[in-house]
Every structure is written in C-alpha cells, then in structure tokens.
Amino acid sequence: MNKLLIVDGNSIANRAFYALPFLSNHDGRPSGAVFGFANILIKLISQEMPSHIVIAFDHARKTFRNELYAEYKMQRKPTPEELISQFAVIKEMLSCMNIKVLEFAGIEADDIIGTIAKSYSGEKFILSGDRDLLQLIDDRTTVWLTKKGVSEVDKVDENRLRELYNLRPSQIIDLKALMGDSSDNIPGVKGIGEKTALTPVSYTHLTLPTT
C-alpha cells in the first residue's frame, strides 16, 4: 500500500538542533542537527515503512509573504551559524539516502507541503512542529506534531483534532485569523487569544429586528 511521508525539513532540523546538546564531528564542525534529523527519519522509516518520502525546505527567509506584509517574521532572531552550516550536510545525507528534497525560491516549505498533500490522493502523514499544517488534515492525511524535541509526536487526525480544539481542519484558518500568530509576527483581532477564539459563540440571546 502506498504511503507518503512528507517532512518539514526546517522544522525538524531546528527541533533537533535545540533539543540535543552541542555535538560536533571529528573536525569540530557542528553535527547535532544532522544526527537528530537522521535519527527521527530512520525511526519513522523503520516503524511506518512509507513507500514514498519527500523533504521540503525553505529556500530563504524572504518569501512572497514579505511582499504582502513587510512585518512578516520580522521579530525572529537570525538562524545560528552553527545550524546554518548543517543544512547542506543534511541535504547531502538525504541525497545519499535517495530521498527527494524540494525547495523553491520565494516560497516556504509549508507551501510545498500543502501543495503535495492536496495533490497526492493516497495515504500520507506530515511530520512537523508547525500547527498551521493542521488545516491539511483529512481522511487520508495525518499531521504528526513533534513534541519534546523530535523524540515524541502527537499523531493528529480528524478525531484527535476534535479532542484538542473541537474544530474541523478547515476551521484552523479561522482560528489563526482570530488569534493571530506571534511566531510569524501576524496580528489577530485585538483582545482575542486562543482561548477566546476557541470559545463557542451563542446567538440565542440576540433579538432580531422586526420588519
């Protein structure tokens, strides 16, 4: 049976980098992100036996969203040089494993992941720490959210999403629009955070105008 594993490369590399103590190779070059990335990938392959794998990476920090909203992600600190130097090694490792890597100028890994998820009709699971991707969940798509670095995941399908938020996948867009996203420096509706955005609204108390 075909099963596609889609990996958010930047998310997993970042998780591995910050979850592990500083590691280096025999030349003293940082290698923790490479080690952590390899560990989680090999574990998933051995446990889930996907028939296809694709890894999506951000090509650069600036994307078409910066043209739409100049403040997009402007609050984020620069990526540490110790991590930047490991991306090339991770991609070289993936090439040696014969795993497809995708990145395109001007768009984010999220965009690539969303395009593939909606284009591929078979079973698929997405590995990422980005909750924005929960909107992609359907009867054939599960999002595996990383927890505690990359050693644990929360396998979020439609039922699990209902347990977490009492929402359908399509409503994640509305949730984000209301509460904003501080990690991307996107403001929401003033005074509305996640708790308020998730609170059911009752209209039974409203008096409708008469004609």
Side-chain angles (χ1 to χ4, degrees):
M1 181 178 179
N2 289 339
K3 181 192 292 186
L4 173 63
L5 165 60
I6 309 171
V7 178
D8 184 342
N10 288 78
S11 175
I12 301 308
N14 271 276
R15 289 268 176 171
F17 178 77
Y18 287 106
L20 297 173
F22 179 80
L23 300 175
S24 61
N25 65 7
H26 63 282
D27 293 325
R29 297 178 182 177
S31 60
V34 180
F35 177 76
F37 199 109
N39 269 0
I40 186 63
L41 189 58
I42 292 170
K43 181 179 179 181
L44 278 177
I45 292 172
S46 63
Q47 290 180 348
E48 301 300 322
M49 300 295 289
S51 57
H52 303 77
I53 305 173
V54 63
I55 317 290
F57 284 97
D58 296 332
H59 182 76
R61 175 162 291 191
K62 190 172 183 180
T63 69
F64 71 92
R65 289 182 176 84
N66 297 98
E67 298 176 6
L68 297 172
Y69 177 54
E71 301 300 313
Y72 181 64
K73 293 187 177 181
M74 287 295 289
Q75 89 292 0
R76 291 195 179 183
K77 297 179 180 178
T79 303
E81 187 60 40
E82 294 83 0
L83 174 56
I84 292 175
S85 65
Q86 296 184 65
F87 278 106
V89 182
I90 291 172
K91 292 170 187 176
E92 182 180 357
M93 174 187 71
L94 294 172
S95 177
C96 293
M97 297 173 71
N98 199 29
I99 293 176
K100 185 69 175 179
V101 170
L102 292 177
E103 57 180 325
F104 299 98
I107 64 174
E108 297 181 57
D110 288 4
D111 302 307
I112 299 171
I113 292 169
T115 300
I116 295 172
K118 291 302 181 182
S119 301
Y120 184 75
S121 59
E123 182 183 356
K124 65 201 84 86
F125 59 106
I126 301 166
L127 178 67
S128 177
D130 190 347
R131 292 178 180 270
D132 289 352
L133 298 177
L134 295 174
Q135 63 188 278
L136 299 174
I137 293 171
D138 57 33
D139 59 345
R140 291 196 168 189
T141 308
T142 304
V143 174
W144 290 23
L145 289 176
T146 51
K147 304 192 308 180
K148 295 183 179 180
V150 292
S151 62
E152 296 181 22
V153 295
D154 189 358
K155 301 177 183 180
V156 187
D157 57 11
E158 291 177 308
N159 290 331
R160 177 61 175 154
L161 182 63
R162 197 173 298 113
E163 291 176 6
L164 290 172
Y165 295 116
N166 195 29
L167 295 177
R168 298 184 301 274
S170 61
Q171 293 176 302
I172 294 296
I173 301 169
D174 299 321
L175 174 65
K176 290 287 185 174
L178 287 170
M179 61 180 280
D181 191 336
S182 59
S183 66
D184 288 340
N185 202 35
I186 297 176
V189 178
K190 187 176 181 180
I192 295 183
E194 180 176 282
K195 182 178 180 180
T196 305
L198 289 170
T199 302
V201 177
S202 173
Y203 298 97
T204 56
H205 65 286
L206 297 179
T207 302
L208 298 177
T210 57
T211 56

